[in-house]
Amino acid sequence: MPDGDKQKGLQFLKEAAKESIFARAEARYFLGNISLNYEEDYKEATRHLEQLYNTYPHNNYYARILARSYYRMDRFDEALHHIDKSLERWQQKGLNHQSVLKEELLTWKGRIYFRRFQYREAATTLQQAFEAGAELTTPEERSQHVIAGYFLGRSLLQLDNKEEARHYLQAITDMEAQENYRDHAEQLLNEHF
């Protein structure tokens, strides 16, 4: 972060989020993003992101970042409800960027199932996320595509479907995004194959 008075800067953003006419949404976005990614204050982040999503329910980025915030807070039931409602809204209304939304939200949903030891549901959901990502331009550069493939491989290992697990784990080791997940995939390949 640049030099300066962090608290004063955050206070200016809070005032803009509350009082500004033209920059209200941007200020609220920055408050949510800073709280989520830098301050790790997920409660504060979620408060801002919920307000953004409720104000702009057709903004796919707000839908995706809110799902991430719920996940980080372990509010899995709310995340699942939000994910299902968002996917339904995009499908019914034919909104833009549906594949991007589907890739990321299904990845979060699959990760929730994985965390709950529901490996069959995780594998099915992560397969859908991986397929959605494969339809996008340069999937090998997409973080969510790599993450979906990694957790899909892990889920399949838990289901003792080693050949399919190897396929996905091997596929993501050759991709460009998310070096840490690629490294973990290589470790799993070395351990199990």
Side-chain angles (χ1 to χ4, degrees), residues 39-100:
E39 299 295 313
E40 297 182 358
D41 184 347
Y42 304 130
K43 184 176 181 180
E44 180 74 5
T46 300
R47 187 172 67 80
H48 293 293
L49 297 172
E50 283 176 336
Q51 288 178 344
L52 278 172
Y53 181 72
N54 291 333
T55 304
Y56 305 100
H58 299 154
N59 183 311
N60 86 78
Y61 183 73
Y62 295 156
R64 292 181 288 130
I65 198 169
L66 181 56
R68 181 182 345 153
S69 187
Y70 285 142
Y71 180 86
R72 295 263 171 87
M73 291 181 67
D74 294 334
R75 290 169 55 180
F76 296 148
D77 291 334
E78 287 174 87
L80 291 172
H81 178 76
H82 167 71
I83 289 166
D84 290 342
K85 287 295 184 189
S86 295
L87 290 171
E88 182 181 315
R89 178 182 295 122
W90 257 256
Q91 179 69 33
Q92 286 178 347
K93 296 190 180 279
L95 298 172
N96 291 334
H97 308 293
Q98 189 170 11
S99 293
V100 172

Side-chain angles (χ1 to χ4, degrees), residues 136-150:
L136 297 167
T137 306
T138 60
E140 68 280 358
E141 296 175 7
R142 299 189 55 76
S143 293
Q144 294 300 324
H145 189 64
V146 173
I147 294 168
Y150 172 75

